[in-house]
Amino acid sequence: MQVLATEAMATRFELVLAANDEAGGDETRLRAAGEAALAIVEECEREWSAFRADSFLAHVNREAARRAVPLSEDQFELFAACDDVWRASDGAFDPSVAPLLGAFDRRGGELDVARARERVGWKSVELDRERRTLRFTREGVALDLGAIAKGHALELAAIELRAAGVANALLHGGTSSVLALGGPPDTDAWRVALEGGDGAPVVELRDAALSVSAQHGRTLADGSGHVLDPRAKISTPNKALVAVVHRSARLAEAWSTAILVQREPSGAARELDVAIGSGPRFARAWRFTRPRSNSSFARPSTVPA
Amino acid sequence: MTPVDRRNLLVHGASTAAAFALAPEILRAASLERTNAPIDVAVIGCGRQGRAILGELAKIEGVRVAGVVDVLDSRLKSGQRRVQGAEGFASAKELLDKLKNVSAVFVATPSHTHKDVALECLDAGKAVYCEAPLATTLDDARVLARAARKSGKPFATGMYGRSNPIYGLARSFFRSGSIRDVATLRAQYHKKNSWRTPGSNPDEEAALNWALDPKLSLGLVGEFGAQQFDVFHWFLGAYPTAVRGFGSVQLHKDGRVVPDTVVCELTFPDDRRLLWEATLANSFESQYELFCGSMGAIKLAWTAGWLFKEADAPTQGWEVYANRQQFHDEQGITLIADATKLAAQNKLKEGIGLPNPPLYYALADFLKAVTENGTVACSADEGMRAAAVAILANQAIQLGASVAIDPAVFKSE
C-alpha cells in the first residue's frame, strides 16, 4: 500500500494505492504510478486553479470576451460537462458565479455586489462544440470551476493510474471529492463515512465517485457560505449536506453543488444516487433519493428510514 | 560608488521598472504580428515538457501546431489531445519530410537526444527552440551551437529566466546596484519525487527513465541546474571558473546510482560563490535563486520575485507604490513587471505573480524572433555555456571533488 499526496487547488489531494500483480507488485513501480497521477493533478492545478494568476482559467477569464479561446480535448470535456450540468440543473450549477464570489469575499459594498450580480450567468458563455472553442458574449464574465475541477483532476489522475496497471486505489481531493478504483485488498469496496461521529451513512464505492457539498466547508470574508445560488445570486441558505455518487467524479462534484442549491433534487438530479443530511452534525436525519436502488449508500442503523 | 551616484542609479532602476512592459501587454496573451499569416510550428517530444509547450502555444494567437512527434504512441496521442488538428509522427524525419510549411520546431525530447534532433531540424532549414540542457556532452553542445550559428535561422535555448518579465525587472535592479556589493549567491531545486515513470513494458520503462541512466543523464544538475546557472550567468555577466560537487541517494534507495540529492559550489570571478543544491527527497521552498548584497537581497522564484532591503539601504520614491510580503522576520518588496502602470490603474495587487507560466514567455519570445527576424532571448551559445557548466558540475559530483572550468569550454569555435 502506498499513500501519496500533493497540495493543489488550495486543498490536499491524496492517493491510496493498493498493490496488485498488474502494477508489478513492487512498491517502486506503484509509487511511480502514483507520482504520475499526482503530476496530472498538479497539471490540473496549473490549468484550473482560481487561486493562480497564471492558470489557464485565468487566461480564459482575461481573453474570452475578446476572442474565442481554443481548447484541448480535456479542457473541452470539462467545459462541456459544465454546460451539460448547467442545462440539466436549470442553472443551479453555474461556474460564472466568480465575480459574485469575489465581491462577497472582498466584502464589497452594495454597488460592487450589484455590479457583480449583473455579470453572473452561463448564458453569456458560448461553447462551440464543433470548433472546440469557448468565448464570452459580453465583457466582465469570469468563471470559477471550484465546484467541478477537483473531480476533473481525479478523473484524469485515475486514467493515468489505470494506464500504469493500478486497479485498486482511492483518490480524494480535499476529502469532498472521492474516486474509487476497484476495492481495497481484502474487501469489495472502499468504505467512506460522510461525516465523523455515529450515525453518518457510510458510502461503499467501487469504480465510482462520491462528492459532498455543504456550506460549512468554507466561509467567505463577508461571513456567507461559499456555495452561491446562481439564480437568486445570493449565498445559498441551505444548511444541509448533499452527497452524490456517480460514475464520473466531475459530474458527482457538479451535481452535489447543484442539488445543494436546488434544495431538493429536481429534473435530471432525480436520477442520481443522492443522500441529503440535515441537523447539527447530520446525524439525525438522512434522506436517500433512491433507497435500496443501489448499494452505494449503506443506511446507518441509528437513522430512521 | 557615491551615495549620489547610487541614488541616480536607483532612480534609473525605478524608471526602468516604470517603463518596463512586455510587448505585447503583459496581461494580454501574446499574438504574432497581424500582418503575418499564422505560422505553422511543430513539437518534437510529447512527454510532460512537450505537453506543457503545447498548452502554452495554444494561448498564442497566430500560431498553428501542424505536427507533433513522439516515438511512443501513447505519448503521441496525449500530445495530440492538447491541440486541434495536429498531425502525429513517430520521428522527426517523417515530420520534416511531410510538413514542409513548418517554420519553427520545438525540441522537447530527452536531453541526450537534443543534438541529433535539433541538427535534423536545422538541416531542414527550420528555426529551432531547444529545451535545456542544450546537450549532455561538451562536444555535442559545441557542435550544435556551431550549427545553429551557421544556419542563420533563429535558434533559442529554453532558458526561462531570460524571457521572464519578473527576472528581467529584477536584473535591471540588480545591474543598477540596488543590492550593491554581491556577497553570496544561492539557489535550490526541491521536489519530493522519485523521478521514475511507469511504462507498459520493460523496454518502454527503460526508455522513459533515461534520466536515471548515468550513461545518458546529467542528473539533477543537468535537468534543473543548467536552467538556474544561466540566471546567474545572465545577472552577473560572468561564468564560473571552478565547480565542486557532492551527490548521494538520500531517499529513493531503489538501486539507482544517479543521486537524488546533490550540492554544488560554483566559483565565479572575484571569488564569488554560488551554492546550489537539489533534492528529490524534500519539497520545501521549491525552486529559487537568491542574490545577497551589502544593501539587500533579491529572491527569485520563477513566478514571483522580491527585494529585501538592508536597514541602512536608502529609501526610494517608488517604494510608496510597492507591495510587501512578510517572510517570518523579513519583509520583501514584491517585484512586479509594469508596476508603475498598474499602480496608476489601482491594479497593483493584480500584478503580483506572473499572468502566465515562465515557459509561455520563452516560447512567445522565440516566436517573435522567428516572425520578426529578431534576436532570441537565449542563444545556442549561451545554452552551450550553461550546458558546459552543468556537464562539469556533474563530473564534480561524480568525483566528489573540485573541477576547474577552462574558459575554452565557453567558446564554440
Side-chain angles (χ1 to χ4, degrees), chain B residues 130-272:
Chain B
C130 184
E131 279 295 334
L134 190 66
T136 53
T137 71
L138 291 174
D139 283 345
D140 281 2
R142 197 175 292 125
V143 166
L144 189 48
R146 271 188 209 145
R149 196 161 349 97
K150 260 191 196 162
S151 76
K153 294 279 182 184
F155 185 109
T157 311
M159 294 298 186
Y160 310 152
R162 290 181 189 248
S163 300
N164 185 322
I166 289 173
Y167 279 49
L169 176 62
R171 184 172 178 265
S172 70
F173 274 75
F174 178 83
R175 302 282 285 190
S176 63
S178 63
I179 62 166
R180 194 80 65 93
D181 307 308
V182 174
T184 68
L185 305 163
R186 200 162 81 215
Q188 71 162 47
Y189 174 87
H190 281 199
K191 170 87 176 165
K192 190 175 176 184
N193 188 290
S194 73
W195 238 23
R196 282 196 184 276
T197 306
S200 57
N201 59 62
D203 286 344
E204 183 181 303
E205 196 147 305
L208 289 171
N209 288 291
W210 58 269
L212 291 174
D213 182 343
K215 293 191 291 297
L216 304 177
S217 165
L218 298 175
L220 291 164
V221 78
E223 296 309 307
F224 304 107
Q227 187 75 245
Q228 294 185 283
F229 298 160
D230 182 64
V231 173
F232 291 94
H233 298 170
W234 188 44
F235 272 57
L236 297 171
Y239 305 95
T241 55
V243 56
R244 205 151 59 104
F246 307 93
S248 57
V249 178
Q250 291 294 328
L251 178 66
H252 304 290
K253 296 180 180 174
D254 51 12
R256 73 182 62 197
V257 291
V258 171
D260 67 7
T261 302
V262 296
V263 181
C264 290
E265 182 194 70
L266 285 79
T267 307
F268 282 84
D270 299 329
D271 213 21
R272 289 168 174 164

Side-chain angles (χ1 to χ4, degrees), chain A residues 273-274 288-299 303-305:
Chain A
D273 292 308
V274 178
F288 303 88
T289 55
R290 300 174 69 195
R292 300 175 205 285
S293 67
N294 187 307
S295 62
S296 291
F297 288 107
R299 186 183 298 279
V303 177

Side-chain angles (χ1 to χ4, degrees), chain A residues 28-29 31-33 35 39 42-43 53-54 59 62-63 66-67 70-74 77 131-132 164, chain B residues 27-29 48 51 58-59 61 81-84 191 193-194 196 198-199 205 254 303 354-357:
Chain A
T28 302
R29 290 204 74 236
R31 182 185 176 99
E35 286 175 349
E42 287 163 3
E43 267 182 39
D54 63 350
H59 168 76
R62 284 194 301 268
E63 291 287 310
R66 191 174 69 83
R67 63 175 175 124
L71 305 172
S72 72
E73 279 187 42
D74 290 338
E77 280 173 17
R131 291 196 176 88
R132 234 170 62 192
Chain B
L27 287 174
R28 280 262 181 251
R48 201 162 293 153
R51 294 198 303 273
K59 293 182 186 172
E61 287 181 272
R81 281 180 70 81
R82 283 266 164 173
V83 282
Q84 296 184 28
K191 170 87 176 165
N193 188 290
S194 73
R196 282 196 184 276
E205 196 147 305
D254 51 12
T303 55
L354 282 179
N356 289 291

